[in-house]
């Protein structure tokens, strides 16, 4: 039997070069959208609605009586209630609630994947690495690891997460993809010094200026929130699944 | 004094995210366009005309009484005379002649850089690594290392060359760019096993099927053709410069 394929997409700009129609697309936005989504759902949020714009976020929040969240330049966006930090969503606050979230990169890529008719969309981040890997191994379908990057630019942190997934599941997939080869190399190279290495990245310099160091360390630590956020088109939201 | 900046572009699709107007753009197409260009000029070709399409290539070849060259799927394109292998252009054949070359990836990126008003365009490859580095160090201008990739996809071999340049010249530049950080990591990781490592790449599998193994090994070997091909807009051709 042929193994399903696995590819890594390094920027939203490259997504349309891949066929998503029979594939599970994993949306990756390590700093911090997909880390926050996993954490909120793990801590008991019912659903997370990923929305593209601020106005969408406000309207959806009102309609659903939900928490609205989003940041630009390290500050909560005017008109929204909370930010994009996983630390804002402990169980004591988020359990049983719903969250409407808008972000610059991850949310955009998720909607692009839906437009390109992805068979299934889930989100991935270091806090839910093991759950994502268990899920992908169980499905036996083609996989696209989609790095959100930053304003369409390649970034290191999303690539490292793609590499972490590849290093754990590649034996079950056919991987003929230079991006995946590179991502796995980079993950293995920096597996031990990850916390130091991310301090060299562009995004670290950007977010560190806003005092978010603790957030960033949480976001590259494995398995703190092992749930799989699965997008259900019928209600346009991410639901938690245990794997 | 502020150092000039250095960025790496991993796919033609990402080129417009960068400002080229004050920058030297290094077009990189390791397998095999820019390796062939360096080799032909090093062996005494007067100029190389990089053209976008096959018809352009035929017409320019007639007008200039020049050699026409280009391949698709490992074979010389119908209507052209030679292929895209550096081995086809020894001094005994190419000295004093001019070459009109069309390729899938490198030529396209070069024309994109010109359209985006790059200040200067040169080509880079392992055979002319040292000359390119000497040239860039002497100019004191911003640098964009442009990887041609394959049909807009990321590839390993162009990235390794970008990393080789970065590892040699970075002390003279400000490098805040995750693509460059990754490229240098990858180059250093595979500096010693490069000939083995490239056998894992997608492009190797593609070209090896056409019996081009010797070509590919030459194309990842440093300093066999140390000349800098510099594009001169006034005659739309690459000229050899010694550095």
């Amino acid at each position: 039997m042929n193994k399903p394929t696995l590819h890594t997409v390094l920027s939203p700009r490259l997504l349309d070069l891949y066929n998503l129609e029979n594939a599970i697309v994993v949306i990756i936005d390590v700093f911090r959208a997909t880390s926050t989504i996993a954490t909120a759902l793990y801590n008991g949020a019912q659903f997370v609605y990923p929305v593209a714009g601020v106005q969408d976020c406000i309207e959806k929040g009102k309609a659903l009586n939900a928490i609205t969240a989003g940041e630009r330049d390290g500050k909560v966006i005017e008109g929204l209630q909370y930010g994009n930090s996983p630390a804002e969503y402990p169980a004591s606050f988020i359990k049983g609630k719903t969250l409407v979230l808008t972000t610059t990169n991850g949310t955009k890529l998720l909607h692009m994947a839906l437009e390109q008719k992805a068979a299934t969309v889930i989100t991935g981040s270091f806090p839910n690495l093991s759950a994502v890997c268990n899920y992908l191994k169980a499905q036996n379908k083609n996989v696209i690891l989609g790095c959100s990057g930053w304003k369409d630019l390649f970034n290191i942190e999303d690539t490292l997460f793609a590499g972490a997934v590849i290093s754990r599941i590649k034996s079950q997939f056919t991987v003929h993809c230079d991006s995946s080869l590179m991502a796995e190399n980079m993950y293995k190279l920096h597996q031990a010094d990850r916390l130091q290495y991310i301090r060299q990245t562009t995004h670290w310099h950007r977010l560190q200026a806003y005092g978010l160091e603790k957030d960033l360390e949480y976001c590259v630590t494995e398995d703190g929130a092992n749930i799989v956020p699965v997008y259900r088109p019928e209600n346009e939201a991410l639901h938690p699944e245990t794997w």
Side-chain angles (χ1 to χ4, degrees), chain A:
Chain A
M1 202 184 77
N2 281 339
K3 294 178 182 179
T5 61
L6 183 152
H7 289 92
T8 302
V9 181
L10 298 178
S11 158
R13 285 275 187 100
L14 305 179
L15 190 69
D16 72 327
L17 299 170
Y18 298 83
N19 179 6
L20 313 187
E21 293 195 18
N22 293 307
I24 301 166
V25 179
V26 184
I27 306 296
I28 304 165
D29 186 359
V30 164
F31 294 156
R32 296 167 289 154
T34 58
S35 303
T36 298
I37 289 168
T39 303
L41 289 172
Y42 181 77
N43 286 338
Q46 286 195 293
F47 315 117
V48 174
Y49 292 86
V51 296
V54 176
Q55 201 50 42
D56 280 1
C57 194
I58 293 170
E59 286 167 17
K60 194 115 190 155
K62 272 188 193 157
L64 297 166
N65 193 27
I67 293 161
T68 58
E71 285 183 19
R72 295 291 182 270
D73 303 328
K75 286 182 185 159
V76 176
I77 296 168
E78 216 186 304
L80 305 184
Q81 300 163 304
Y82 291 87
N84 187 23
S85 165
E88 291 181 272
Y89 304 100
S92 57
F93 169 64
I94 198 67
K95 197 168 181 181
K97 294 182 183 155
T98 60
L99 177 64
V100 189
L101 178 69
T102 179
T103 67
T104 318
N105 303 300
T107 320
K108 181 182 120 181
L109 185 64
L110 186 147
H111 287 102
M112 287 172 70
L114 294 173
E115 278 164 33
Q116 243 180 272
K117 299 189 179 7
T120 307
V121 173
I122 69 172
T123 70
S125 63
F126 284 105
N128 67 338
L129 172 62
S130 291
V132 166
C133 291
N134 292 341
Y135 176 89
L136 295 175
K137 285 192 285 188
Q139 307 302 311
N140 199 34
K141 288 180 86 168
N142 295 340
V143 168
I144 304 280
L145 301 173
C147 299
S148 299
W150 191 75
K151 296 187 178 175
D152 288 335
L153 291 170
F154 168 86
N155 78 24
I156 293 279
E157 62 274 15
D158 294 346
T159 307
L160 291 179
F161 177 75
V165 173
I166 294 162
S167 75
R168 290 184 179 207
I169 72 172
K170 68 176 177 179
S171 66
Q172 293 194 28
F173 292 84
T174 300
V175 188
H176 284 160
C177 163
D178 279 10
S179 306
S180 300
L181 194 59
M182 177 276 287
E184 192 193 4
N185 274 198
M186 288 292 287
Y187 172 68
K188 288 192 169 164
L189 184 64
H190 294 294
Q191 196 168 5
D193 74 347
R194 202 184 318 158
L195 281 177
Q196 290 313 309
Y197 181 60
I198 55 157
R199 288 175 161 78
Q200 295 177 41
T201 66
T202 313
H203 216 128
W204 176 274
H205 291 292
R206 201 178 296 124
L207 290 176
Q208 186 216 12
Y210 307 123
L212 301 174
E213 290 206 27
K214 263 202 162 170
D215 259 23
L216 300 190
E217 293 195 355
Y218 172 81
C219 290
V220 292
T221 302
E222 292 172 10
D223 293 340
N226 262 321
I227 205 90
V228 181
V230 180
Y231 188 85
R232 292 195 194 155
E234 64 273 20
N235 61 0
E236 302 180 345
L238 293 153
H239 290 237
E241 289 191 15
T242 306
W243 284 88

